């Protein structure tokens, strides 16, 4: 296969461009014959839209699935997960088992969420059950923490009320769909600070599901000490961990950027809480990622020209339970510190090695099964094909939960403890 | 034989004396009285029965641990008629050097004081006290103007002093010979050579399993890891200090480390300890010390910028501010060559009745001091426990890294050990670096002074500190420093300047060995 890969991008980030150039790929424009297009989410909409779309040829690859929003829009993600749970319940799967209070034992990983304005009344019913709770309002289509705010009184979201008498508000807000979720006000704190986890997950195909987890995820810390006190509800520096927000805080540090590696987190938790509970936490995190992907797999357009690298945001509460907050289709490629730059450069590098084998002109008909050596810092999170066929390949250690009942002995763990938890 | 026996009885007498004043003694007494109720204690064999009871109930073990703990810090046997200065430091020239270094530090502190017209100590007004109490858990957000404060000294200043140390009784001669020491340290102290080190660190041999190496993914855990973890758990159940110390020479499993260190350092959290810490906290609230600003500045300059430790910034203040008010730390000066600085109540200069130690714990922090505490935050998140562990680590080990003494774990010996190892086993490298003006000690000094904190990834640092505790010695720091140079020898041979050599070694933090 002679000829160099021709690439296009509409995201001007050095971590991308450096990776293309180091492979000796050739930059072209959108209108020319390209092989690889790293596009923004707006562009992917155009490529696959009914009016402006066009067919991709066999030697063209793009970095998004056409309807990725099934996973990456906050309201659709919740909808799909709820649907998935109900389906499992209907077929009597042990995964859908519930406890005495009706909560799912294994599938309760998204905080209670409602769509507004559609579910307003349902939300009010739930809100009244625990009136001292705090809820977080998030606009469905925005990112980087934009437009998010916390409420603890119904009056604060009056304008989403269907029964609102001031109809002029309605016209403005109907365009803007929001989700409202129960705010996790008991997050695990380290050094008194709230943090969340950003993990990168690469999906090369949804059916069969094949996904990879990047070993070098990180924790994002808030610069201000966490307090659940109601007076600080407006202080976004306390509550939102997005770097885009924290960057503007007075105490933001440009050397470490308020970030910790996942390995640091692991060391800290093992040292202070013990090895078993830490292993269990990480197992659960892998579990919820795989379940979320399985939930959207049936509705996802599994176009063979596509792969996608998602940014998963997870919060851990003080009982060491992980919660899925959201999934990002376009995780930020901006680097806030030197370490960051290195991490994201390597992330793209490893992603390209898996998505575009050997750095040669791609053929989207290939089996999407890269050899182990090219994984780099990725490791296999779940491989449906392997899991279903005999699955005797223990080396890959990627098994679905269905074949083994209880939560503890399922998915592989990242890093060293693979051996111990597996055995 | 007789001499040994009398030495031993002297030591025993001293330890008994020390323990009699401790909490443990009171507890043992209470336990003994309470045990009289028990049916198995008979009047005829009272002594034996009580001893047996202590053995079974675990109190004997506690006593053993306490004695073992005392022995760990006990100064090397000396002549019964030796004056107390000899306990601090037997060599006169070392004592003199330490004394003049202290004078310099004090002068620097006093002049900063005068320049900025800030008192060494002042009582806080009530309003300020309330404010500080509210902010106790987030002192990091307080941004006092620290621009005028400078650290009292930095490790490189201290290095200059060590370089100029000379033994007046030692005549080197001008002619170069194979004995000439090419390094910066020019005092004749005895340091271990490789055969002696091999014997001393026998558990670190290639045929013995180590955590951090033999528990990596490629090695099946049956080979070493599982058994090692099992033994660790057993040691903890037995609560045996000495066994823990032996065990940890091969490294500690992450989940057991916090407890093992507490066992080895003989730290247990009794209500009295928590109360003591609270008392220190009250002292901090009520009085403001000049050293507090130095502590703030140090934390802001070092730990706050560190990838691993920035999260724990607030804990560092909580520990270090209390540490400087802790007068119990003064007792370690009995075996530390340093002496606590004295200050006089205003207007009463020179009058001994008005002398106080300043700061109350006698330890003036220098640039990087907070890095001694930072790694401990990964293990202990309860402030009073964290505090106790740090304090014990300081009075057992860390103080030796910034005082001038002839002790084998003292910084002078460590520097000499490092240089000797390098000169003996990597002479070409040593000579080359010297020629380009990059004396190896200039690079490795700061690593050793900080016990590598901030220069190694935390998981590796903790494995290193495991060995410090296990061998009750800091010599491993010099060995590691020399090993780093050996590891980077090929690259270092190619550098042509000190700056380049530093860069070469900076990758220390990112390299996984």
């Amino acid at each position: 296969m002679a000829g160099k890969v021709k690439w296009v991008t509409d995201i001007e980030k050095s971590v991308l461009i450096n990776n293309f150039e180091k492979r000796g790929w050739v930059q072209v424009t959108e209108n020319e014959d390209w092989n690889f297009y790293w596009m923004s989410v707006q562009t992917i909409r155009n490529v696959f839209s009914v009016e402006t779309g066009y067919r991709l040829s066999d030697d063209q690859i793009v970095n998004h699935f056409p309807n990725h929003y099934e996973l990456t829009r906050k309201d659709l993600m919740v909808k799909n997960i709820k649907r998935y749970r109900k389906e499992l319940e209907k077929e009597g799967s042990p995964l859908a088992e519930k406890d005495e209070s009706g909560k799912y034992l294994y599938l309760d990983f998204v905080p209670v969420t409602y769509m507004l304005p559609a579910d307003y009344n349902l939300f009010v019913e739930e809100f009244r059950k625990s009136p001292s709770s705090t809820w977080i309002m998030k606009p469905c289509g925005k990112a980087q923490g934009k437009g998010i705010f916390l409420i603890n009184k119904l009056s604060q979201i009056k304008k989403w009320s269907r029964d609102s008498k001031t109809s002029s508000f309605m016209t403005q807000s109907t365009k803007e769909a929001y989700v409202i979720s129960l705010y996790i006000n008991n997050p695990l704190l380290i050094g008194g600070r709230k943090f969340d986890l950003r993990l990168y997950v690469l999906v090369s195909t949804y059916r069969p599901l094949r996904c990879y987890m990047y070993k070098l995820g990180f924790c994002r810390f808030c610069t201000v000490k966490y307090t659940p006190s109601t007076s600080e509800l407006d202080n976004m520096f306390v509550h939102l961990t997005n770097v885009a927000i924290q960057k503007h805080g007075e105490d933001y540090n440009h050397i470490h950027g308020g970030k910790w590696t996942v390995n640091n987190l692991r060391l800290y938790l093992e040292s202070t809480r013990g090895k078993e509970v830490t292993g269990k936490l990480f197992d659960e995190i892998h579990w919820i990622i795989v379940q979320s992907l399985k939930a959207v797999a049936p509705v996802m357009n599994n176009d063979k020209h596509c792969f996608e690298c998602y940014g998963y945001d997870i919060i851990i509460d003080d009982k060491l339970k992980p919660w899925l907050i959201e999934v990002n289709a376009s995780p930020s490629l901006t680097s806030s510190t030197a370490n960051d730059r290195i991490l994201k450069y390597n992330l793209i590098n490893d992603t390209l090695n898996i998505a575009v084998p050997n750095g040669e002109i791609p053929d989207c008909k290939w089996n999407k099964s890269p050899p182990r050596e090219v994984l780099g810092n990725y490791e296999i999170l779940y491989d449906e094909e392997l899991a279903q066929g005999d699955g005797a390949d223990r080396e890959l250690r990627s098994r679905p939960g269905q074949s083994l009942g209880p939560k503890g002995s399922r998915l592989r763990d990242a890093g060293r403890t693979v051996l111990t938890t597996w055995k | 034989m007789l001499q040994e026996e009398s030495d031993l009885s002297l030591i025993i007498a001293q330890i008994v004396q020390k323990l009699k004043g401790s909490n443990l003694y009171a507890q043992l007494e209470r336990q003994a009285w309470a045990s009289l109720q028990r049916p198995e204690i008979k009047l005829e064999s009272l002594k034996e029965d009580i001893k047996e009871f202590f053995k079974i109930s675990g109190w004997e073990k506690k006593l053993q641990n306490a004695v073992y703990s005392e022995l760990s810090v006990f100064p090397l046997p000396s002549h019964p008629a030796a004056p107390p200065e000899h306990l601090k430091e037997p060599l006169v020239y070392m004592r003199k050097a330490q004394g003049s270094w202290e004078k310099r530090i004090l002068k620097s502190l006093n002049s900063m004081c005068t320049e900025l017209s800030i008192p060494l100590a002042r009582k806080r007004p009530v309003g300020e006290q309330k404010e500080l109490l509210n902010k106790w858990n987030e002192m990091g957000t307080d941004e006092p103007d620290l621009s005028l404060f400078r650290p009292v000294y930095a490790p490189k200043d201290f290095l200059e002093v060590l370089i100029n140390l000379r033994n007046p009784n030692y005549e080197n001669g001008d002619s170069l010979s194979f004995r000439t020491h090419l390094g910066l340290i020019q005092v004749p102290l005895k340091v271990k050579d490789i055969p002696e080190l091999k014997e001393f660190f026998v558990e670190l041999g290639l045929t013995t399993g180590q955590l951090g190496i033999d528990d990596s993914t490629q090695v099946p855990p049956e080979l070493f890891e599982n058994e090692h973890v099992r033994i660790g758990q057993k040691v903890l159940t037995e609560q045996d200090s000495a066994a823990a110390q032996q065990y940890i020479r091969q490294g500690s499993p992450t989940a057991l480390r916090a407890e093992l260190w507490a066992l080895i350092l003989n730290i247990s959290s009794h209500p009295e300890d928590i109360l003591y810490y609270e008392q220190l906290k009250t002292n901090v609230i009520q009085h403001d010390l000049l050293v507090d600003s130095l502590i703030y500045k140090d934390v802001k300059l070092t730990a706050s910028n560190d990838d691993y430790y920035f999260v724990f910034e607030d804990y560092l203040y909580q520990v270090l501010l209390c540490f400087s008010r802790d007068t119990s730390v003064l007792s370690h000066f009995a075996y530390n060559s340093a002496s606590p600085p004295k200050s006089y109540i205003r207007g009463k200069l020179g009058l001994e009745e008005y002398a106080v130690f300043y700061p109350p714990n006698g330890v003036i922090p220098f640039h990087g001091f907070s890095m001694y505490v930072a790694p401990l935050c990964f293990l202990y998140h309860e402030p009073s426990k964290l505090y106790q562990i740090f304090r014990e680590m300081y009075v057992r080990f860390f103080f030796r890294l910034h005082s001038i003494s002839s002790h084998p774990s003292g910084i002078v010996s460590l520097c000499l050990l490092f240089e000797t190892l390098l000169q003996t086993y990597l002479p070409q490298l040593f000579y080359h670096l010297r020629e380009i003006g990059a004396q190896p000690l200039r690079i490795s000094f700061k690593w050793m002074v900080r016990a590598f904190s901030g220069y190694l990834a935390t998981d590796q640092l903790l494995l290193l500190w495991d060995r410090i505790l296990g061998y009750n010695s800091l010599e491993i720091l010099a060995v590691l420093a020399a090993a780093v140079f050996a590891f980077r020898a090929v690259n270092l041979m190619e550098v042509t300047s000190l700056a380049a050599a530093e860069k070469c070694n900076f990758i220390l933090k990112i390299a996984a060995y």
Side-chain angles (χ1 to χ4, degrees):
Chain A
M1 281 248 216
K4 296 201 188 275
V5 173
K6 304 198 202 54
W7 63 270
V8 191
T9 184
D10 53 4
I11 301 181
E12 293 295 313
K13 290 288 173 197
S14 57
V15 295
L16 276 176
I17 299 180
N18 292 343
N19 264 299
F20 299 144
E21 288 180 350
K22 95 158 189 184
R23 285 168 169 74
W25 294 0
V26 176
Q27 183 173 18
V28 298
T29 66
E30 184 170 4
N31 305 311
E32 297 171 64
D33 255 338
W34 51 265
N35 304 113
F36 187 89
Y37 197 150
W38 187 283
M39 43 178 78
S40 63
V41 287
Q42 288 78 20
T43 315
I44 193 88
R45 239 200 308 255
N46 295 338
V47 170
F48 285 99
S49 88
V50 180
E51 302 99 30
T52 59
Y54 49 94
R55 278 198 68 183
L56 294 175
S57 48
D58 281 356
D59 62 354
Q60 291 186 306
I61 295 210
V62 296
N63 65 320
H64 287 294
F65 284 94
N67 58 342
H68 62 81
Y69 41 79
E70 294 284 351
L71 180 63
T72 58
R73 252 184 76 114
K74 302 171 182 58
D75 53 349
L76 294 179
M77 176 189 88
V78 174
K79 214 167 73 162
N80 280 311
I81 290 177
K82 284 184 176 172
R83 188 207 79 243
Y84 172 69
R85 293 201 291 224
K86 287 234 153 33
E87 274 167 12
L88 286 176
E89 212 177 331
K90 251 202 288 201
E91 15 170 298
S93 160
L95 287 185
E97 206 181 313
K98 289 183 170 165
D99 67 10
E100 314 84 44
S101 52
K103 278 204 154 343
Y104 287 101
L105 278 173
Y106 309 119
L107 297 176
D108 178 33
F109 54 85
V110 177
V112 175
T113 302
Y114 297 99
M115 324 300 170
L116 291 185
D119 296 335
Y120 183 80
N121 292 328
L122 284 172
F123 160 69
V124 169
E125 220 184 291
E126 186 65 39
F127 181 85
R128 293 207 167 118
K129 279 194 222 160
S130 35
S132 58
S133 52
T134 310
W135 294 75
I136 181 164
M137 282 281 281
K138 300 194 261 201
C140 289
K142 294 223 179 92
Q144 299 190 334
K146 296 202 190 91
I148 295 186
F149 58 98
L150 300 177
I151 62 135
N152 59 354
K153 290 200 263 291
L154 274 178
S155 54
Q156 291 163 316
I157 52 162
K158 243 201 330 229
K159 60 181 187 183
W160 279 270
S161 156
R162 273 250 171 90
D163 309 9
S164 169
K165 297 210 171 65
T166 47
S167 52
S168 55
F169 278 108
M170 283 286 281
T171 37
Q172 277 171 11
S173 52
T174 34
K175 279 209 184 295
E176 186 78 88
Y178 272 72
V179 289
I180 184 162
S181 310
L182 187 59
Y183 185 63
I184 297 163
N185 64 354
N186 62 332
L188 175 67
L189 301 179
I190 297 186
R193 283 172 226 223
K194 180 175 166 182
F195 68 97
D196 79 347
L197 274 180
R198 161 52 63 91
L199 299 170
Y200 295 104
V201 177
L202 170 62
V203 178
S204 49
T205 136
Y206 273 96
R207 292 184 302 275
L209 179 59
R210 196 168 289 134
C211 52
Y212 306 87
M213 167 91 118
Y214 203 62
K215 286 192 264 198
L216 306 177
F218 49 88
C219 306
R220 298 176 294 206
F221 282 89
C222 293
T223 49
V224 177
K225 268 293 179 27
Y226 179 76
T227 165
S229 130
T230 46
S231 59
E232 290 289 348
L233 282 183
D234 294 328
N235 186 345
M236 286 298 113
F237 294 117
V238 172
H239 295 283
L240 297 185
T241 53
N242 312 66
V243 175
I245 301 231
Q246 293 295 332
K247 234 162 63 163
H248 300 290
E250 272 175 6
D251 291 325
Y252 184 75
N253 182 303
H254 291 267
I255 297 179
H256 51 71
K259 289 182 179 161
W260 244 20
T261 62
V262 163
N263 286 333
N264 277 353
L265 176 66
R266 209 188 183 113
L267 175 65
Y268 176 80
L269 288 177
E270 279 186 9
S271 303
T272 53
R273 302 268 193 146
K275 199 156 186 161
E276 292 75 33
V277 298
T278 307
K280 181 160 167 285
L281 167 67
F282 281 91
D283 277 348
E284 268 185 61
I285 291 175
H286 298 155
W287 170 252
I288 69 185
I289 294 177
V290 171
Q291 292 308 305
S292 67
L293 291 172
K294 284 190 157 204
V296 300
V299 301
M300 199 58 98
N301 179 349
N302 193 29
D303 192 311
K304 58 186 192 267
H305 303 94
C306 308
F307 70 92
E308 203 153 17
C309 181
Y310 298 106
Y312 268 76
D313 289 343
I314 296 193
I315 287 201
I316 305 173
D317 72 17
D318 60 10
K319 305 203 180 16
L320 288 197
K321 181 180 159 70
W323 295 94
L324 176 57
I325 301 301
E326 68 169 345
V327 184
N328 291 286
S330 276
S332 159
L333 295 176
T334 320
S335 314
S336 49
T337 67
N339 281 343
D340 220 27
R341 197 184 322 279
I342 297 173
L343 179 129
K344 288 181 178 156
Y345 177 85
N346 289 329
L347 173 69
I348 303 295
N349 187 36
D350 292 335
T351 305
L352 293 179
N353 283 343
I354 294 178
V356 187
N358 298 325
E360 289 165 356
I361 296 185
D363 174 4
C364 66
K365 294 217 219 41
W366 77 296
N367 69 351
K368 307 217 186 211
S369 234
R372 291 212 80 197
E373 303 85 63
V374 311
L375 293 182
N377 288 313
Y378 274 109
E379 53 189 7
I380 299 180
L381 181 58
Y382 182 67
D383 189 328
E384 193 166 5
E385 232 168 25
L386 280 166
Q388 278 168 355
D390 193 2
D393 188 1
R394 292 191 99 219
E395 241 200 79
L396 288 166
R397 290 191 209 92
S398 43
R399 300 189 142 251
Q402 285 102 317
S403 44
L404 320 156
K407 249 176 157 195
S409 50
R410 255 182 280 99
L411 288 167
R412 67 170 352 231
D413 206 348
R416 289 187 40 241
T417 50
V418 169
L419 290 164
T420 41
T421 49
W422 191 237
K423 293 198 176 145
Chain B
M1 209 46 214
L2 208 60
Q3 182 60 20
E4 273 177 43
E5 275 175 20
S6 69
D7 273 346
L8 193 58
S9 39
L10 186 68
I11 294 176
I12 294 176
Q14 283 175 325
I15 292 186
V16 168
Q17 186 65 20
K18 190 99 189 286
L19 288 178
K20 266 199 172 144
S22 76
N23 192 29
L24 181 62
Y25 184 75
Q27 285 176 317
L28 283 170
E29 243 190 338
R30 269 203 300 277
Q31 287 294 322
W33 278 108
S35 75
L36 292 178
Q37 312 286 339
R38 304 175 76 90
E40 62 266 21
I41 311 286
K42 311 242 187 313
L43 201 54
E44 313 84 65
S45 48
L46 191 64
K47 195 167 174 190
E48 297 312 316
D49 288 346
I50 293 189
K51 274 212 231 158
E52 187 60 34
F53 166 68
F54 275 168
K55 205 180 259 176
I56 301 174
S57 56
W59 282 100
E60 189 192 44
K61 186 72 5 123
K62 290 201 174 85
L63 180 60
Q64 261 180 351
N65 289 346
V67 172
Y68 196 70
S69 181
E70 290 300 323
L71 280 176
S72 302
V73 282
F74 212 75
L76 308 163
S78 54
H79 197 274
E85 302 94 77
H86 277 225
L87 225 56
K88 289 161 75 71
E89 171 52 51
L91 300 180
V92 174
Y93 76 90
M94 289 271 183
R95 286 208 298 268
K96 282 212 173 100
Q98 173 66 21
S100 37
W101 170 237
E102 276 168 20
K103 278 206 187 69
R104 268 179 63 187
I105 300 177
L106 231 61
K107 207 158 153 220
S108 169
L109 186 65
N110 280 327
S111 62
M112 193 186 337
C113 215
T114 333
E115 241 175 71
L116 303 175
S117 6
I118 297 179
L120 286 177
R122 69 175 176 100
K123 194 167 168 77
R124 286 188 222 268
V126 175
E128 199 185 311
Q129 287 188 30
K130 269 212 181 73
E131 213 189 300
L132 185 57
L133 191 56
N134 284 339
K135 274 215 152 127
W136 182 254
N137 287 324
E138 42 185 30
M139 285 184 272
T141 49
D142 217 9
E143 279 285 358
D145 181 15
L146 300 170
S147 49
L148 297 171
F149 288 97
R150 332 168 275 281
V152 179
Y153 67 95
K156 61 175 162 48
D157 305 316
F158 188 50
L159 178 58
E160 291 306 319
V161 175
L162 298 187
I163 291 173
N164 292 316
L165 263 185
R166 292 291 182 275
N167 180 353
N169 293 333
Y170 185 68
E171 183 48 62
N172 222 349
D174 285 326
S175 52
L176 292 174
S177 75
F178 73 90
R179 285 180 183 278
T180 312
H181 183 71
L182 295 174
L184 295 171
I185 304 293
Q186 294 291 329
V187 286
L189 292 177
K190 170 105 180 60
V191 293
K192 296 186 170 76
D193 56 16
I194 293 242
E196 286 167 328
L197 287 170
K198 271 200 175 141
E199 204 185 302
F200 185 66
F201 290 116
V202 67
E203 294 86 353
L204 297 181
L206 286 172
T207 49
T208 321
Q210 304 294 336
L211 279 185
I213 303 174
D214 299 307
D215 55 342
S216 68
T217 351
Q218 287 77 33
V219 181
E222 296 88 51
L223 235 51
F224 167 68
E225 192 183 355
N226 285 351
E227 182 60 16
H228 191 66
V229 174
R230 199 187 62 81
I231 297 178
Q233 280 157 342
K234 197 147 182 265
V235 167
L236 281 174
T237 328
E238 293 294 311
Q239 284 292 294
D240 188 326
S241 237
Q245 194 164 324
Q246 179 63 35
Y247 168 78
I248 212 175
R249 291 179 180 188
Q250 289 171 268
S252 164
T254 41
L256 305 179
R257 184 176 279 124
E259 282 182 68
L260 279 170
W261 283 24
L263 180 56
I264 295 173
L265 296 170
N266 206 30
I267 305 283
S268 43
S269 295
H270 295 126
E272 303 88 57
D273 303 310
I274 301 178
L275 212 64
Y276 189 76
Y277 175 74
E278 291 296 318
Q279 183 62 42
L280 292 174
K281 180 175 161 184
T282 314
N283 290 350
V284 176
I285 305 280
Q286 288 177 346
H287 288 90
D288 178 27
L289 298 180
L290 176 65
V291 287
D292 291 352
S293 306
L294 297 177
I295 289 170
Y296 266 111
K297 181 121 195 181
D298 186 47
V299 173
K300 288 282 182 206
L301 284 178
T302 56
S304 302
N305 290 328
D306 188 292
D307 288 341
Y308 297 93
Y309 307 124
F310 70 90
V311 176
F312 303 115
E313 185 181 341
D314 297 319
Y315 285 5
L316 298 180
Y317 299 120
Q318 292 175 25
V319 168
L320 289 167
L321 292 179
C322 288
F323 182 64
S324 46
R325 277 120 174 115
D326 193 344
T327 49
S328 72
V329 173
L330 292 172
S331 56
H332 93 285
F333 285 107
Y335 50 86
N336 182 353
S337 62
S339 300
K342 264 200 264 209
S343 174
Y344 297 89
I345 306 286
R346 199 182 289 253
K348 311 276 187 206
L349 193 67
L351 298 174
E352 283 311 313
E353 314 90 74
Y354 295 96
V356 291
F357 292 124
Y358 186 86
N361 73 340
V363 179
I364 297 185
F366 57 89
H367 179 67
F369 193 85
S370 56
M371 294 302 276
Y372 288 141
V373 190
L376 303 173
C377 297
F378 266 83
L379 300 174
Y380 306 99
H381 53 256
E382 204 273 293
S384 70
K385 188 95 185 252
L386 175 62
Y387 177 76
Q388 283 183 278
I389 297 276
F390 165 66
R391 179 180 60 185
E392 192 62 27
M393 290 287 279
Y394 183 81
V395 301
R396 272 205 210 193
F397 303 112
F398 296 145
F399 75 90
R400 297 202 192 277
L401 297 172
H402 48 266
S403 45
I404 305 176
S405 86
S406 58
H407 194 274
S409 273
I411 188 72
V412 186
S413 304
L414 297 184
C415 291
L416 193 57
L417 175 58
F418 165 75
E419 289 188 321
T420 312
L421 282 174
L422 222 56
Q423 184 175 338
T424 317
Y425 296 97
L426 293 165
Q428 210 177 359
L429 176 63
F430 198 113
Y431 193 75
H432 166 72
L433 289 173
R434 208 168 150 263
E435 287 300 287
I436 61 168
Q439 274 274 9
L441 186 59
R442 289 201 186 276
I443 300 171
S444 64
F445 186 69
K446 51 189 178 291
W447 304 342
M448 293 191 284
V449 166
R450 284 218 202 147
F452 281 86
S453 173
Y455 298 107
L456 273 183
T458 310
D459 58 337
Q460 294 174 358
L461 183 80
L462 293 173
L463 286 167
L464 175 66
W465 286 16
D466 281 344
R467 271 64 176 208
I468 293 180
L469 284 164
Y471 290 98
N472 201 30
S473 146
L474 292 163
E475 285 155 304
I476 192 117
L477 298 176
V479 176
L480 177 59
V484 172
F485 275 77
F487 185 65
R488 293 252 175 248
V490 172
N491 293 5
L492 285 169
M493 283 303 288
E494 292 170 20
V495 300
T496 49
S497 71
L498 176 58
E502 294 259 21
K503 275 215 188 78
C504 204
N505 283 323
F506 177 66
I507 324 213
L508 199 55
K509 214 166 182 178
I510 312 176
Y513 7 99

